[in-house]
């Protein structure tokens, strides 16, 4: 039986009733029943409800998720292994990359050795989801090599077209080698992933008929919840257990399939019908949660997605229809009228205005509840409000506005590494372990040392950014350095574990107990139990943490450990985190493309169709992405019981300023129109004083510069840096605080040094030989710093290859007429002094010149060259120096390619205006941080106020609206 249970239609109740009937009727023994759910919490809740109805018999029913069953099965047959979570597998392999244990050649880059690791592991996970092992992939590659199958996509699409078939095959073979190596490593060390739990369990059942027969007797009646979250491997496992009796009952909602990144797909329902064509289909259409305006609007969104299809004669029963409101039907039977608020669509002019409107609406609705009759007041407690978002960074403005209005709130899945408490603790751990400058800087802001930011900054400038030397000049700084040194000595003398060291550091530096600190403690303790931890000491933990964060890991309370008793506070959470929950009043943030839906990100490797199971969706990946984002939007909408507000900024279109994406579709839908109420956001005051002050170090970052930075000359790099993040520019110029040495900068300097020497020799009429060029690079590379020796080796190998290809290319044609190398310039542009240097200037026929800039990192393309502010600055400078720049070029060392461009007089005016605009902003003291993708590799991130998650202590409201609110709720994980 396949039950399609729409949102809020009571699928859990259906499962409970079926389980109770199976056992109470005598049809099944409790120990013959398996109830498979998606999470541990859901399994426990199901077990509790069944036990309430069946007593001791209910306790004998097995409940859990697919992975829990497979773990038990493998353990019973002595095939169990240590489990590596996805981020831990990333760390595990990153360590082995440094040891040269992974056969990577094409898929490794010196600037970021692990840049391809996420894509590789995602590809291997998809293989596991499709029950494709290393041997099956190797066979596939052999078929490609024999010409029996076309080569798959093994690079980004714009790069794929430039690859030869031989290169595509070579990349396939590298993937196969790495796949095999990873599988062998894990097997040898008795480790595996969550995906391996399924694949190895399926292998056991297929290999051992006697085991399969015994398991079928244990699982004669199989019930599967949240079936839309099942992938091909899990469906195969369920099919094996169902056997010939086929007592399999699945319930779910294809319109709530939102875990495609885990291999799940709405096509699971099509696959169920294909495997079990005799299936009885049932659809639940009475929603017990929402009102008809919410359900109508949600249906108008989701009906644009494809429906279930399949060979079953009953597929017509599964056709999507609008859900009916059971609450309204019940009210009608009682001759009552249930209020039916239309769905609100609020369009703002800015994210700040959007946030202010949401906070104001929540406060207003809660205050209005004081005028309602007492029996309805519970519908407007703070905990009945939820703000949902697609991306965590979308919530920051809402947090500030709620705090400013003293509205209590809770943030789910808060990353404690971005809280002041978490950053302070990690900084102290690093200061004790390694003594790095950034960590010492943050520790210096602890209140017990009474260090004034202005005085510290002066000392830093005096000591050229050397933090320890600057601290040694200050009374509080000396105390800090002494405390760090004595703590380090004690931690090492007592050989403390990372967990014990953290406790010791907390006491030694008087860190206040807080929720983020408790979560961090739990994280460190759990890490000690992981298969990855060997010594368990502080140094090992910090190395792990660096790679864990680089892999995309967050330190938050695990979802299965969420508190059941939560304060009366507004809930802020991602839409994924809200799955399965409901609230009286829901606000959905930033419903505008590319905020929600997010933009499609093309994976590096294509999962070949020849390796995909039938449960895989047949549409192209980009279309799949937007269909899933639409389902996610549908989930967000159907969390609401009484009111739903969809919030967005205005679109940029002149003819149609409505927000692009799903909201635009909804606003033009005739079916939804009667149930929508659209308005412009009201101009509430924004930027109100928040209840939580910035941490001391964040306050330091916001100090006005101690001198006029507008008097400093600007380089092309400085202009681009300011444009990317004004605060980072200020920290470089004002605080003189250096980032850790970057391998990319060191390698770039070494490559530029070698190329200068080469073209100086060309200019002098004595061209170098290739060995001379390579020797020059080797000497330059040996004189600079790298993060680690592994990266130094990668850069050396990469540099030798690039210079070899460069030499082959440049010596095949006449040498350019080199006019100058590393030519420095200083000109005035837009009222600012602009300085820099041209990597190479060549004389062209006539009076013109060509200016070439070497790029040792990511290759630039024609679009990059046309948009480059750096090349515009060079063209302006050359013009002001009396040259005629007829050609501007990037020479990409990675692939020995040259991309050229030009600049018109209009282009030069635009560049001059841009420089003048930036110079004016610097003079005006505008140094606000500008968060973005670049924050991921910023060495000063732990000091940045804009990326700091403040914990707002909300004072109780004195008005009547605060009745029933918790005394002092605050944001928590």
């Amino acid at each position: 039986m396949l039950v399609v249970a729409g949102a809020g239609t009571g699928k859990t109740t259906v499962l409970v009733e079926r389980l109770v009937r199976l056992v109470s009727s005598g049809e099944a023994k409790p120990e013959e029943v398996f109830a498979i759910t998606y999470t541990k919490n859901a399994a426990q809740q199901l077990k509790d409800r069944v036990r309430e109805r069946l007593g001791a018999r209910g306790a004998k029913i097995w409940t859990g998720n697919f992975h829990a069953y497979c773990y038990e099965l493998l353990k019973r047959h002595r095939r169990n292994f240590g489990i590596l979570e996805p981020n831990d597998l990333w760390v595990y392999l990153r360590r082995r990359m440094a040891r040269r244990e992974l056969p990577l050649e094409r898929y490794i880059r010196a600037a970021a050795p692990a840049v391809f690791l996420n894509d590789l592991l995602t590809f291997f996970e998809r293989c596991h989801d499709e029950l494709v092992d290393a041997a099956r992939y190797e066979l596939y590659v052999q078929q490609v090599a024999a010409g029996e199958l076309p080569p798959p996509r093994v690079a980004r699409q714009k790069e794929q077209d430039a690859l030869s078939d031989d290169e595509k095959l070579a990349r396939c073979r590298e993937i196969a080698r790495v796949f095999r190596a990873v599988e062998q490593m894990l097997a040898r060390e008795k480790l595996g992933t969550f995906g391996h739990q399924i694949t190895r369990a399926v292998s056991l059942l297929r290999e051992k008929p006697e085991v399969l027969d015994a398991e079928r007797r244990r699982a004669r009646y199989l019930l599967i919840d949240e079936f839309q979250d099942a992938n091909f491997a899990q469906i195969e496992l369920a099919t094996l257990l169902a056997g010939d009796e086929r007592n399999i009952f699945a319930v779910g909602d294809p319109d709530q399939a939102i875990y495609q990144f885990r291999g799940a797909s709405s096509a699971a329902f099509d696959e169920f019908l294909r495997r079990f064509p005799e299936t009885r289909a049932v659809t639940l259409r009475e929603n017990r949660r929402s009102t008809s305006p919410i359900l109508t609007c949600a249906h108008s969104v989701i009906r644009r997605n494809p429906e279930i299809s399949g060979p079953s004669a009953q597929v017509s029963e599964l056709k999507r229809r609008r859900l009916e409101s059971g609450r309204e039907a019940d009210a009608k039977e009682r001759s009552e009228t249930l209020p039916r608020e239309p769905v609100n669509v609020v369009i703002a002019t800015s994210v700040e205005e959007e946030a202010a409107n949401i906070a104001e609406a929540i406060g207003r609705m809660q205050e209005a509840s004081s005028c309602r009759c007492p029996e309805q007041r519970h519908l407007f407690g703070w905990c009945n409000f939820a703000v949902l978002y697609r991306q965590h960074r979308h919530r920051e403005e809402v947090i500030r506005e709620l705090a400013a209005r003293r509205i209590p709130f809770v943030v789910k899945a808060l990353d404690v590494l971005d809280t002041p408490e978490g950053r302070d603790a990690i900084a102290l751990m690093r200061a004790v372990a390694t003594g790095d400058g950034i960590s010492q800087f943050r520790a210096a802001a602890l209140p017990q040392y009474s260090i004034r930011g202005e005085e510290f900054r002066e000392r830093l400038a005096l000591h050229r950014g050397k933090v320890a030397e600057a601290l040694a000049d200050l009374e509080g700084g000396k105390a800090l350095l002494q405390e760090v040194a004595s703590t380090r000595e004690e931690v090492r003398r007592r050989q403390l574990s990372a967990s014990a060291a953290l406790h010791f550091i907390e006491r030694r530096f008087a860190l206040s107990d807080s929720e983020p600190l408790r979560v961090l403690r739990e994280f460190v303790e759990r890490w000690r139990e992981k298969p990855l931890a060997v010594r368990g000491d502080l140094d090992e933990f910090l190395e792990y943490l660096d790679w864990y964060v680089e892999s995309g890991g967050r330190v938050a309370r695990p979802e299965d450990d969420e508190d059941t008793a939560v304060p009366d506070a507004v809930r802020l959470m991602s839409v994924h985190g809200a799955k399965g929950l409901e609230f009286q009043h829901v606000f959905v943030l930033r419903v505008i493309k590319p905020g929600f839906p997010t933009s499609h990100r093309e994976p590096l490797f294509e999962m070949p169709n020849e390796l995909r199971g039938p449960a895989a969706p047949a549409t192209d990946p980009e279309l799949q992405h937007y269909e899933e984002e639409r389902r996610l939007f549908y989930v967000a909408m159907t969390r609401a019981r009484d009111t739903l507000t969809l919030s967005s900024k205005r679109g940029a279109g002149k003819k149609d300023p409505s927000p692009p994406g799903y909201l635009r579709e909804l606003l033009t839908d005739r079916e939804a129109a009667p149930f929508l109420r659209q308005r412009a956001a009201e101009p509430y005051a924004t930027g109100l004083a928040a209840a939580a002050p910035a941490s001391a170090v964040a306050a330091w970052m916001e100090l006005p510069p101690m001198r006029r930075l507008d008097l400093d000359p600007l380089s092309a790099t400085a202009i681009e840096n300011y444009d990317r993040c004004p605060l980072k520019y200020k920290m470089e110029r004002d605080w003189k605080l250096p980032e850790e040495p970057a391998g990319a900068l060191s390698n770039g300097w070494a490559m530029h040094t070698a190329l200068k020497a080469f073209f100086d020799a060309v200019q002098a009429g004595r061209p170098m030989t290739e060995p001379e060029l390579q020797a020059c690079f080797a000497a330059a590379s040996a004189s600079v710093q790298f993060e680690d020796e592994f990266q130094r080796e990668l850069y050396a190998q990469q540099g030798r290859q690039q210079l070899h290809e460069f030499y082959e290319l440049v010596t095949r044609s006449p040498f350019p007429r080199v006019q100058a190398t590393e030519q420095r310039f200083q000109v005035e542009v837009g009222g600012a002094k602009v300085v820099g240097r041209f990597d190479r200037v060549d004389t062209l026929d006539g009076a013109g010149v060509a200016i070439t800039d070497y790029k040792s990192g990511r290759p630039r393309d024609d679009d990059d060259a046309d948009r480059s502010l750096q090349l515009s600055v060079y063209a302006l400078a050359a013009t002001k120096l009396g040259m005629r720049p007829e050609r501007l070029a990037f020479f990409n060392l990675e692939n020995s390619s040259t991309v050229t461009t030009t600049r018109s007089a209009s282009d030069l005016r635009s560049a001059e205006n841009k420089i003048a605009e930036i110079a004016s902003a610097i003079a005006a003291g505008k140094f606000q941080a500008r968060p973005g993708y670049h924050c991921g590799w910023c060495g000063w991130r732990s000091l940045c106020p804009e990326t700091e998650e403040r914990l707002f202590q909300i004072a109780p409201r004195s008005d009547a609206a605060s009745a029933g609110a918790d005394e002092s709720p605050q944001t928590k994980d």
Side-chain angles (χ1 to χ4, degrees):
M1 179 171 283
L2 182 62
V3 179
V4 173
T9 57
K11 63 180 177 56
T12 305
T13 299
V14 168
L15 277 171
V16 171
E17 293 300 326
R18 185 169 180 88
L19 284 166
V20 169
R21 181 159 183 236
L22 278 172
V23 175
S24 60
S25 68
E27 174 68 25
K29 298 175 183 177
E31 56 270 24
E32 295 177 323
V33 180
F34 269 34
I36 296 177
T37 61
Y38 193 66
T39 66
K40 294 178 184 177
N41 275 354
Q44 188 59 52
Q45 291 168 11
L46 183 62
K47 197 175 193 75
D48 291 343
R49 288 180 63 174
V50 172
R51 190 184 291 120
E52 286 177 10
R53 300 281 298 279
L54 293 176
R57 289 184 298 167
K60 296 179 182 178
I61 294 174
W62 189 93
T63 58
N65 57 30
F66 279 109
H67 296 94
Y69 166 72
C70 292
Y71 177 81
E72 290 180 11
L73 173 66
L74 293 168
K75 187 176 181 180
R76 278 189 277 114
H77 293 275
R78 298 183 179 180
R79 294 194 181 185
N80 55 308
F81 49 86
I83 300 296
L84 292 177
E85 297 174 5
N87 298 108
D88 290 342
L89 178 61
W90 193 99
V91 174
Y92 173 88
L93 294 177
R94 178 63 181 84
R95 284 179 179 169
R96 277 146 186 81
M97 287 174 67
R99 301 176 196 164
R100 297 287 191 174
E101 294 178 19
L102 285 181
L104 287 167
E105 295 176 11
R106 289 165 171 80
Y107 292 117
I108 191 168
R109 185 171 290 162
V115 69
F116 298 118
L117 203 47
N118 282 326
D119 288 296
L120 280 165
L121 293 184
T122 298
F123 180 77
F124 297 158
E125 286 172 10
R126 294 292 77 80
C127 286
H128 292 150
D129 294 337
E130 302 287 346
L131 290 177
V132 174
D133 59 12
R136 175 68 186 89
Y137 185 74
E138 287 166 347
L139 177 61
Y140 164 77
V141 175
Q142 290 174 16
Q143 291 174 298
V144 173
E148 299 169 12
L149 294 173
R153 184 172 60 76
V154 289
R156 307 288 180 207
Q157 190 59 60
K158 66 178 183 179
E159 299 170 16
Q160 175 80 3
D161 298 337
L163 298 178
S164 66
D165 285 349
D166 286 345
E167 176 61 19
K168 293 172 188 174
L169 180 59
R171 294 190 179 202
C172 284
R173 285 174 170 154
E174 181 165 324
I175 294 169
R177 287 194 300 273
V178 176
F179 196 176
R180 172 66 69 181
V182 170
E183 296 290 288
Q184 288 175 340
M185 276 181 208
L186 295 174
R188 188 167 55 246
E189 299 187 35
K190 293 186 178 180
L191 296 171
T193 65
F194 291 118
H196 283 121
Q197 287 184 319
I198 307 292
T199 60
R200 295 179 189 180
V202 168
S203 295
L204 173 62
L205 295 175
R206 285 173 172 174
E207 294 166 7
K208 303 284 187 181
E210 68 279 10
V211 174
L212 177 58
D213 186 56
E215 292 306 305
R216 283 175 173 170
R217 288 196 299 272
R218 291 185 66 233
R220 286 193 62 216
Y221 295 87
L222 196 62
L223 293 87
I224 306 174
D225 191 12
E226 303 285 8
F227 189 69
Q228 74 277 356
D229 296 330
N231 58 41
F232 175 79
Q234 293 165 343
I235 295 171
E236 177 65 16
L237 175 62
T239 304
L240 284 170
L241 292 175
D244 294 334
E245 289 193 66
R246 303 162 88 82
N247 288 325
I248 185 168
F249 177 94
V251 58
D253 183 4
D255 290 337
Q256 296 187 72
I258 59 172
Y259 294 110
Q260 185 172 302
F261 62 91
R262 295 176 181 169
S265 164
S266 59
F269 292 80
D270 300 345
E271 177 65 5
F272 190 96
L273 295 174
R274 188 188 69 80
R275 289 180 182 239
F276 308 110
E278 72 279 18
T279 291
R280 291 178 59 193
V282 177
T283 303
L284 305 183
R285 295 195 174 93
E286 186 181 55
N287 175 285
R288 308 298 304 177
R289 177 186 300 153
S290 307
T291 60
S292 54
I294 294 170
L295 296 176
T296 301
C297 292
H299 178 256
S300 77
V301 168
I302 200 62
R303 67 189 175 89
R304 296 172 186 264
N305 270 14
E307 298 190 69
I308 295 174
S309 61
S312 172
Q314 297 192 59
V315 74
S316 59
E317 171 64 22
L318 302 176
K319 290 293 182 183
R320 183 188 296 120
R321 296 181 181 86
R322 184 175 68 84
L323 299 177
E324 302 297 328
S325 174
R327 291 174 61 204
E328 290 177 7
D330 291 347
K332 187 175 181 181
E333 284 186 12
R334 298 192 302 267
S335 299
E336 297 173 357
T337 301
L338 185 72
R340 302 194 309 166
E341 286 286 321
V343 172
N344 292 294
V345 175
V346 180
I347 310 297
T349 58
S350 67
V351 295
E352 292 81 9
E353 189 176 75
E354 176 189 41
N357 270 258
I358 289 173
E360 193 73 21
I362 291 173
R364 189 173 59 242
M365 292 169 71
Q366 210 275 350
E367 287 175 13
S369 69
S370 62
C371 304
R372 298 175 185 269
C373 53
E375 59 270 19
Q376 286 198 357
R377 253 183 220 177
H378 69 283
L379 302 180
F380 288 86
W382 297 119
C383 62
N384 291 307
F385 294 88
V387 180
L388 308 183
Y389 37 81
R390 180 63 181 90
Q391 301 174 61
H392 291 294
R393 60 187 175 86
H394 290 167
R395 69 189 176 212
E396 299 310 313
E397 290 80 10
V398 177
I399 285 176
R400 292 191 183 95
E401 295 294 337
L402 290 173
R405 290 164 175 79
R406 291 182 291 141
I407 295 174
F409 59 92
V410 171
V411 180
K412 187 176 180 182
L414 185 70
D415 187 351
V416 304
L417 296 181
D418 284 332
T419 63
E421 294 86 345
R423 286 181 172 181
D424 286 346
I426 295 297
L428 286 168
M429 292 168 79
R430 291 191 192 284
V432 167
T434 65
D436 74 279
I438 299 296
S439 297
Q440 290 175 337
F441 186 101
R442 184 167 187 101
L446 292 173
Q448 60 263 42
Y449 298 109
S450 304
I451 296 174
R452 291 178 59 250
E454 296 88 343
E455 192 176 1
F456 185 29
R457 181 172 55 183
E458 290 174 6
R459 295 296 189 277
L460 267 174
L462 184 66
H463 291 284
R464 298 182 180 179
K466 295 177 180 177
V467 178
E469 292 182 16
L471 287 172
D473 278 357
L474 303 168
E475 197 62 38
K478 291 175 185 175
L480 169 63
L481 293 174
Q482 290 169 2
E483 196 73 31
V484 166
S486 64
T487 304
R488 180 185 301 124
E489 182 180 347
E490 190 69 10
V491 166
R492 291 176 178 173
R493 184 184 67 79
R494 294 166 57 181
Q495 296 182 328
L496 295 180
S497 68
S499 179
L502 175 57
H503 281 285
F504 186 65
I505 288 168
E506 287 178 48
R507 294 193 303 272
R508 202 72 179 265
F509 292 91
L511 297 183
S512 300
D513 191 36
S514 63
E515 181 69 10
L517 205 49
R518 289 192 289 273
V519 172
L520 180 60
R521 279 191 220 116
E522 293 166 8
F523 179 80
V524 179
E525 288 164 5
R526 285 196 304 271
W527 165 78
R528 185 65 187 93
E529 303 304 316
K530 292 175 183 283
L532 283 176
V534 179
R535 303 187 310 274
D537 60 22
L538 189 56
D539 290 327
E540 186 186 20
F541 171 74
L542 291 172
E543 178 197 65
Y544 166 82
L545 185 65
D546 284 340
W547 283 338
Y548 177 82
V549 171
E550 189 181 341
S551 75
R554 300 166 62 84
V555 178
R557 184 177 297 284
E559 287 192 15
D560 285 337
D561 293 340
E562 291 289 346
D563 296 337
T564 53
V566 290
D568 184 24
V570 177
R571 304 303 195 258
L572 280 76
M573 64 183 71
S574 69
V575 182
H576 279 102
K579 176 87 180 329
L581 304 178
E582 62 179 55
F583 305 91
Q584 303 296 136
H585 315 286
V586 170
F587 296 79
V588 186
L589 269 180
R590 214 71 59 87
V591 188
I592 180 172
K593 187 178 181 181
F596 193 180
T598 60
S599 298
H600 173 245
R601 179 186 176 275
E602 179 186 64
L604 183 63
F605 313 115
E606 175 184 60
M607 185 67 181
N609 287 328
E610 294 82 2
L611 296 178
R612 290 152 61 97
T619 51
D620 72 85
E622 186 170 4
L623 184 57
Q624 289 174 37
H625 170 79
Y626 287 113
E627 287 175 357
E628 169 136 332
E629 289 287 299
R630 186 178 282 111
R631 291 192 293 270
L632 198 58
F633 186 39
Y634 175 77
V635 166
M637 296 174 75
T638 54
R639 299 310 92 200
R641 285 179 56 81
D642 293 342
T643 70
L644 172 64
T645 300
L646 306 175
S647 180
S648 178
K649 294 191 303 177
R650 284 169 55 90
K654 293 182 179 178
K655 291 184 178 179
D656 184 0
S658 63
Y662 305 138
L663 202 50
R664 179 175 289 175
E665 295 176 357
L666 183 61
L667 291 171
T668 56
D669 191 289
R670 292 183 179 180
E671 176 188 328
F675 302 96
L676 284 171
R677 179 169 57 203
Q678 180 182 352
R679 68 173 176 83
E682 297 177 49
Y684 293 117
T686 61
L688 300 174
S695 64
V697 73
W700 286 359
M701 295 297 97
E702 294 170 351
L703 288 172
M706 63 179 177
R707 60 185 180 80
R708 288 184 58 184
L709 298 184
D710 58 306
L711 299 180
D712 288 359
L714 291 171
S715 65
T717 300
I719 293 165
E720 289 181 332
N721 282 347
Y722 181 92
D723 201 35
R724 187 179 299 115
C725 181
L727 180 61
K728 184 171 182 178
Y729 175 89
K730 176 188 166 190
M731 292 177 73
E732 289 174 336
R733 298 296 180 101
D734 187 36
W735 283 88
K736 305 294 185 184
L737 189 63
E739 286 186 282
E740 292 300 312
L745 292 176
S746 298
N747 179 69
W749 180 85
M751 293 292 284
H752 278 67
T753 299
L755 292 172
K756 172 177 168 50
F758 179 86
F759 283 109
D760 281 348
V762 168
Q763 187 180 16
R766 297 187 301 275
M768 281 183 169
T769 64
E770 184 177 349
E772 289 173 330
L773 174 63
Q774 295 284 4
C776 182
F777 168 69
S781 185
S783 68
V784 291
Q785 287 184 298
F786 288 88
E787 284 88 341
D788 56 53
E789 285 306 307
F790 171 57
Q791 194 175 45
R792 181 188 292 277
E793 291 172 19
L794 287 177
Y795 271 122
Q797 178 182 333
Q798 171 188 288
R800 287 192 296 270
Q801 180 62 30
Q802 289 178 354
L803 289 175
H804 170 71
E805 293 173 3
F806 160 79
Y807 192 85
E808 290 286 309
L809 175 70
V810 79
T811 54
R812 282 201 297 263
S813 305
F815 289 124
R817 286 179 286 165
V818 180
Q819 180 175 312
T821 62
E822 302 287 341
Q823 179 180 345
R824 295 183 178 276
F825 62 80
Q826 177 177 313
V827 294
E828 185 176 309
V829 178
K833 186 189 296 182
V834 177
V835 299
R837 62 185 176 192
F838 309 120
D839 285 349
R840 194 177 87 233
V841 180
D842 298 336
T843 302
L844 301 177
D845 292 335
V849 298
I851 299 173
T852 299
D853 190 72
Y854 308 131
K855 292 298 176 187
S856 56
R858 175 187 64 83
R860 305 306 200 265
D861 59 21
D862 290 330
D863 288 340
D864 293 325
D866 290 342
R867 294 193 304 264
S868 171
L869 181 59
Q870 180 186 21
L871 292 184
S872 295
V873 170
Y874 288 172
L876 274 170
T879 302
K880 289 179 179 292
L881 291 172
M883 303 183 203
R884 196 172 75 198
E886 293 184 356
R887 191 169 71 215
L888 306 166
F890 283 138
F891 181 81
N892 296 309
L893 287 158
E894 184 169 311
N895 55 16
S896 292
S897 66
T898 301
V899 292
T900 61
T901 187
T902 59
R903 291 293 185 268
S904 65
S906 174
D907 293 333
L908 296 182
R909 282 195 300 272
S910 295
E912 192 156 4
N913 290 338
K914 180 70 174 179
I915 294 168
E917 176 189 326
I918 288 174
S920 176
I922 293 171
K926 295 180 179 179
F927 298 108
Q928 184 76 15
R930 190 172 295 146
Y933 182 68
H934 52 273
C935 294
W937 61 82
C938 178
W940 298 309
R941 192 177 193 280
S942 64
L943 309 178
C944 177
E946 284 299 316
T947 59
E948 187 175 87
E949 296 273 13
R950 302 182 194 178
L951 295 188
F952 293 84
Q953 187 72 31
I954 309 301
R957 291 168 65 119
S958 58
D959 52 34
S962 64
D966 193 76
E967 283 301 306
S968 58
Q970 64 178 31
T971 61
K972 60 180 287 188
D973 179 38

